[in-house]
């Protein structure tokens, strides 16, 4: 016989991202624990809402399966004396396995005769196993941040307020967080305020629906997406739905209702990035657009009854109006300040205690950008635009908007540069110099943007290594690995031709006054090894064999673009039949060579 098991942990509102992780961890943990407990079952499902984590196990057997264990012990010679009397080794082995010495058997294999303990494990009822199993499952959930409450020692993401556990019609008295599970649960905090007594596990899902709780996060996501799209179509618009914000919204509601609000059209004079950030990141609204222009409307997903939407939306409109008014005020105030004034303010912000202020960093990046432009053979126009963009690239960090909305750094710099009369190429390079910000992010599109991005990242790498704070196996607080991969991406995929040794040397030039005792040769070797280590991994991820990569980097590692091209040419060639003959010829030539004669060659003789 088998039954349905339902276990619910009722809590205060759990943050969205940790809730997603806990849903997956609960499923994996339950499957592992039930397997270890010898409890056969069918499908395991886990659900999560802001106020609950739920485990459902279909077809869970009522009793553990019986099991016979065979455990290998000491050799037969060590276990029994010449007269067959068990030794202390045999007695200790049997005692450790919970068996009697009489249960030991001797079996031979290729390595000799050994003692085995044959132990019969009789299954016990699932109702005896489940309370402790589920308690340990709940206690074993890991959270990025956990808390204690009351006088207990239990730690959880948020305070646990109730426990519900039914195995068929039977209560499973799970002890956890100072509570004991029963058959009482709670529905929606506002729409179903009374506790609900559930007769059996099979009726739990219906009880949740009556309590205005949509358990399945996948179903909530489907309904929300359809509702957002329907509201947008009703306004002849397209919703702007960042997946990260959408995923968060799904876990902010138990009974989702989708509605549309509005704000004053005057706010549309503010850059749309500011409006979108205020609506999405701060309020979890979805803006509406028509063509490429935002509309003075937003979609809100609330946790109330549809017939109360007007009142709820009015409250959201009051909130967003205040938020947008602040943003508009900050933006207008920023427009009154020339970019050069903001650049001057960077001298009051420390970049790194030993590496100076942001103003010092900007000065280094300016000089390094010009050096990289000369090395890459950039045009005069691109070199000039890059140098100017490097001068302005951090200016928006002291603006009111970026202080309020830090994720808009770079983007606001572009707006302020254009407002100050800078060339479009200069303005475009300012946000581009932060790219790529993460794996898979777009590379800078313009030549000035590539130059400033590479210079900014290389300056940070060289400076941090110079003060002995490079990454360790477990920590990379300055994201130097990401910066190195960003530079390599710009060089290999973005077409910016740079040589490592020359670029690192140019970066160290900027630290002559800041770090006068710098051992350029030793630290340069560390930086080069670090960058090549990232490059090795990048090339392998692109399908090149480890020995291909090692061979290419040994001769062309200083020129990443050339090294990548060599790998691309060599990898398919290695599958050709001729590669074996070529390897034999090269090996023979190497064996016949005399190293004492040197490696210099007279190219003129080769053409004779």
């Amino acid at each position: 016989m088998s039954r349905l098991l339902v276990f619910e942990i009722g809590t205060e509102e759990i943050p969205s991202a940790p809730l997603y992780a806990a849903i997956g961890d609960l499923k994996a943990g339950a499957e592992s624990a039930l397997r270890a407990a010898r409890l056969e079952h069918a499908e395991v499902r886990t659900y999560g809402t802001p106020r609950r984590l739920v485990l459902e196990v279909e077809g869970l057997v009522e009793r553990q399966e019986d099991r016979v264990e065979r455990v290998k012990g000491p050799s037969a010679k060590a276990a029994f004396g010449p007269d067959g009397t068990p030794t202390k080794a045999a007695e200790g082995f049997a005692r450790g396995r919970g068996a009697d010495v009489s249960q030991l058997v001797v079996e031979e294999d290729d390595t000799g005769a050994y003692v085995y303990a044959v132990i019969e494990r009789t299954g016990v009822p699932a109702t005896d196993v489940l309370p402790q199993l589920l308690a340990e499952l709940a206690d074993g959930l890991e959270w990025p941040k956990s808390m204690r409450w009351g006088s207990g020692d239990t730690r959880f993401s948020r305070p646990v307020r109730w426990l519900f556990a039914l195995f068929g019609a039977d209560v499973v008295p799970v002890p956890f967080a100072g509570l004991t599970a029963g058959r009482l649960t709670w529905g929606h905090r506002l729409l179903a305020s009374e506790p609900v007594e559930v007769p059996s596990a099979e009726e739990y899902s219906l009880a949740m629906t009556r309590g205005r709780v949509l358990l399945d996060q996948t179903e909530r996501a489907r309904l929300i997406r359809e509702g957002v799209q329907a509201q947008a179509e009703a306004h002849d618009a397209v919703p702007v739905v960042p997946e990260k914000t959408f995923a968060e919204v799904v876990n902010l509601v138990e009974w989702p209702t989708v509605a549309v609000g509005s704000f004053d059209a005057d706010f549309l004079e503010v850059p749309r990035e500011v409006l979108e950030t205020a609506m999405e990141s701060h309020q979890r609204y979805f803006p509406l657009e028509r063509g490429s222009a935002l509309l003075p409307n937003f979609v809100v997903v609330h946790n109330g009854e549809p017939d109360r939407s007007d009142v709820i939306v009015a409250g959201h409109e009051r909130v967003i109006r205040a938020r947008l008014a602040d943003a508009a005020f900050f933006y207008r105030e920023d427009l009154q300040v020339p970019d050069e004034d903001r650049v001057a303010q960077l001298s009051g912000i420390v970049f790194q205690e030993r590496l100076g202020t942001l103003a010092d960093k900007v000065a280094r990046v300016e000089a390094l950008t010009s050096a990289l432009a000369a090395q890459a053979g950039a045009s005069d126009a691109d070199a000039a635009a890059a140098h100017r963009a490097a001068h302005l690239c951090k200016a928006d960090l002291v603006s009111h908007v970026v202080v309020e909305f830090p994720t808009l750094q770079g983007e606001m710099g572009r707006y302020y540069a254009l407002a100050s009369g800078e060339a479009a190429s200069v303005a475009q390079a300012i946000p581009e110099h932060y790219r790529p910000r993460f794996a898979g992010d777009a590379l800078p599109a313009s030549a000035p943007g590539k130059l400033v991005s590479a210079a900014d990242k290389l300056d940070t790498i060289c400076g941090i290594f110079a003060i002995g704070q490079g990454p360790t196996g477990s920590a990379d607080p300055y994201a130097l690995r990401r910066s190195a991969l960003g530079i390599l991406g710009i060089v290999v995929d973005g077409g910016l031709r740079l040589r490592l040794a020359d670029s690192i040397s140019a970066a160290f030039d900027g630290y002559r006054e800041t770090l006068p005792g710098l051992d350029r040769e030793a630290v340069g070797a560390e930086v080069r090894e670090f960058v090549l280590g990232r490059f090795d991994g990048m090339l392998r991820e692109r399908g090149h064999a480890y020995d291909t990569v090692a061979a290419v980097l040994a001769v062309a590692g200083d020129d990443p673009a050339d090294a990548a091209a060599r790998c691309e040419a060599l990898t398919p060639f290695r599958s050709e039949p001729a590669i074996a003959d070529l390897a034999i010829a090269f090996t023979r030539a190497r064996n016949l060579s005399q190293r004492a004669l040197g490696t210099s060659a007279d190219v003129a003789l080769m053409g004779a």
Side-chain angles (χ1 to χ4, degrees):
M1 293 289 290
S2 62
R3 301 185 234 168
L4 172 67
L5 169 69
V6 177
F7 176 46
E8 177 189 73
I9 307 171
T11 69
E12 298 294 340
E13 278 72 4
I14 300 174
S16 177
L19 180 56
Y20 276 111
I23 291 170
D25 291 346
L26 182 60
K27 178 179 173 66
E31 290 173 338
S32 176
L34 292 171
R35 183 167 54 251
R38 311 195 312 277
L39 290 172
E40 296 292 329
H41 57 84
E43 184 180 6
V44 174
R45 298 182 295 269
T46 50
Y47 306 116
T49 77
R51 297 183 67 213
R52 69 200 74 227
L53 267 171
V54 178
L55 167 69
E56 288 187 355
V57 182
E58 288 276 4
L60 183 63
V61 296
E62 297 183 351
R63 189 180 188 85
Q64 289 178 322
E65 64 177 7
D66 297 336
R67 184 174 64 178
V68 177
E69 295 180 355
R70 294 176 70 259
V71 183
K72 187 176 182 179
S75 66
K77 290 182 180 180
F80 297 101
D83 59 353
T85 303
T87 65
K88 290 184 177 181
E91 293 173 351
F93 170 65
R95 186 168 53 251
R97 295 297 178 270
D100 189 83
V101 176
S102 62
Q103 293 177 282
L104 301 181
V105 297
V106 177
E107 295 184 9
E108 292 193 16
D109 56 24
D110 294 340
T111 60
Y114 288 87
V115 169
Y116 286 83
V118 180
I119 308 164
E120 295 184 2
R121 304 287 190 191
T122 303
V124 299
T127 51
D128 292 346
V129 177
L130 288 174
Q132 188 61 29
L133 183 151
L134 294 176
E136 291 176 357
L137 192 60
D139 191 50
L141 290 174
E142 295 185 1
W143 305 93
K145 293 182 180 179
S146 57
M147 60 184 296
R148 280 194 306 112
W149 62 97
S151 59
D153 295 327
T154 303
R155 289 185 174 274
F156 211 70
S157 176
R158 291 294 184 270
V160 177
R161 296 308 187 197
W162 75 88
L163 295 173
F164 169 92
L166 289 181
F167 183 37
D170 295 336
V171 170
V172 181
V174 182
F176 179 65
L179 303 170
T180 302
R183 63 174 71 251
L184 284 181
T185 183
W186 294 78
H188 192 286
R189 184 185 291 276
L190 301 176
L191 305 180
S193 57
E194 295 298 321
V196 179
E197 184 172 348
V198 184
S200 69
E202 288 74 15
E203 298 178 66
Y204 171 76
S205 181
L206 179 59
M208 286 293 96
T209 301
R210 289 174 176 169
R212 297 294 192 272
V213 175
L214 185 54
L215 276 179
D216 189 344
Q217 57 276 359
T218 303
E219 181 65 11
R220 288 202 307 277
R222 184 187 67 80
L223 291 177
I224 291 171
R225 198 176 293 278
E226 290 178 355
V228 170
Q229 187 62 38
Q231 291 288 0
E233 291 176 357
H235 288 75
D236 190 25
V238 175
V240 180
V241 185
E243 288 304 312
K244 182 178 180 180
T245 304
F246 180 84
E248 186 173 2
V249 168
V250 170
N251 277 352
L252 291 178
V253 293
E254 290 193 317
W255 194 252
T257 300
V258 182
V260 172
S262 62
F263 54 87
D264 296 339
D266 291 346
F267 289 129
L268 295 177
E269 297 176 3
V270 177
R272 69 174 289 165
E273 291 88 349
V274 178
L275 301 180
E276 288 180 344
T277 301
M279 285 188 275
E280 295 165 6
S281 300
H282 289 252
Q283 302 303 133
R284 280 69 178 179
Y285 302 154
F286 302 116
L288 294 179
E289 65 178 358
R290 186 178 299 143
S292 60
L294 284 183
L295 298 180
N297 300 100
F298 61 91
V299 178
V300 58
V301 181
H302 65 78
N303 204 30
E305 288 282 24
D307 58 6
R308 301 287 294 171
S309 284
D310 289 346
V311 176
I312 294 172
V313 167
H316 284 286
E317 289 176 340
R318 287 193 296 272
V319 171
I320 196 60
R321 188 179 301 118
R323 174 74 67 175
L324 295 183
D326 288 344
F329 172 78
F330 292 147
Y331 177 62
R332 295 180 185 122
E333 286 292 299
D334 286 338
L335 289 179
Q336 307 304 313
V337 180
D339 258 354
E340 285 296 339
D341 288 1
R342 275 190 281 267
V343 173
Q345 293 177 42
L346 296 176
S347 60
I349 301 177
V350 175
F351 165 61
Q352 204 283 337
E353 184 179 5
R354 294 179 58 189
L355 302 181
T357 66
L358 273 180
D360 296 327
K361 179 174 178 59
V362 166
R364 292 194 301 268
V365 172
E366 285 184 67
L368 183 54
T369 296
S370 295
L372 298 185
Q375 184 187 154
S379 68
D380 291 344
D382 285 341
H387 186 272
R388 182 61 179 168
H391 180 70
L392 300 173
C393 66
K394 307 296 183 183
D396 66 341
L397 295 180
V398 296
S399 67
H400 292 91
V401 170
V402 172
V403 169
E404 180 72 11
F405 305 113
T407 58
L408 293 180
Q409 63 182 12
E411 289 298 333
M412 296 314 300
R414 177 171 65 87
Y415 281 105
Y416 299 144
L418 291 173
S420 297
E422 300 290 345
S425 58
V426 172
Q428 181 182 355
I430 293 173
E432 286 186 340
H433 95 279
Y434 286 108
R435 300 175 190 162
R437 295 157 295 181
F438 48 83
D441 191 22
L443 297 174
S446 68
K450 294 171 187 176
L451 288 166
V452 182
S453 177
D456 181 40
K457 293 172 174 59
L458 186 59
D459 171 77
T460 300
I461 293 172
C462 290
I464 298 302
F465 267 92
I467 60 174
Q469 295 188 20
T472 64
S474 60
D476 184 10
Y478 296 96
L480 301 191
R481 294 185 178 93
R482 185 176 65 196
S483 293
L485 288 171
I487 294 171
L488 291 167
I490 292 170
V491 171
V492 173
D493 300 319
L496 184 66
R497 198 67 180 261
L498 298 176
R499 301 188 70 87
L500 282 182
D502 293 341
S503 301
I504 292 169
S505 178
F508 285 149
D509 287 343
Y511 287 102
R512 282 176 177 157
E513 296 183 6
T514 306
L515 302 171
L518 175 63
D519 186 342
R520 294 172 61 125
E521 184 176 346
V523 178
E526 286 185 48
V527 173
R528 186 176 186 277
E529 182 181 0
F530 170 72
V531 174
L532 287 180
R534 310 284 79 69
F535 195 26
D536 181 287
M538 173 192 286
L539 293 173
R540 291 195 197 189
E541 287 180 0
R542 297 188 180 196
H544 302 298
Y546 76 96
D547 50 352
T548 295
V549 175
V552 167
L553 293 185
V555 297
D558 196 54
D559 187 343
D562 180 47
R566 288 174 184 243
C567 285
E568 291 295 337
L570 186 55
T571 293
F573 180 65
R574 290 189 62 172
S575 63
E576 297 290 332
I579 190 68
D581 295 335
L582 188 62
I584 292 172
F586 269 94
T587 302
R588 182 169 176 76
R590 180 180 181 278
N591 292 339
L592 292 173
S593 66
Q594 298 181 40
R595 292 178 179 270
L597 298 177
T599 57
S600 61
D602 188 341
V603 179
L605 292 176
M606 296 180 187

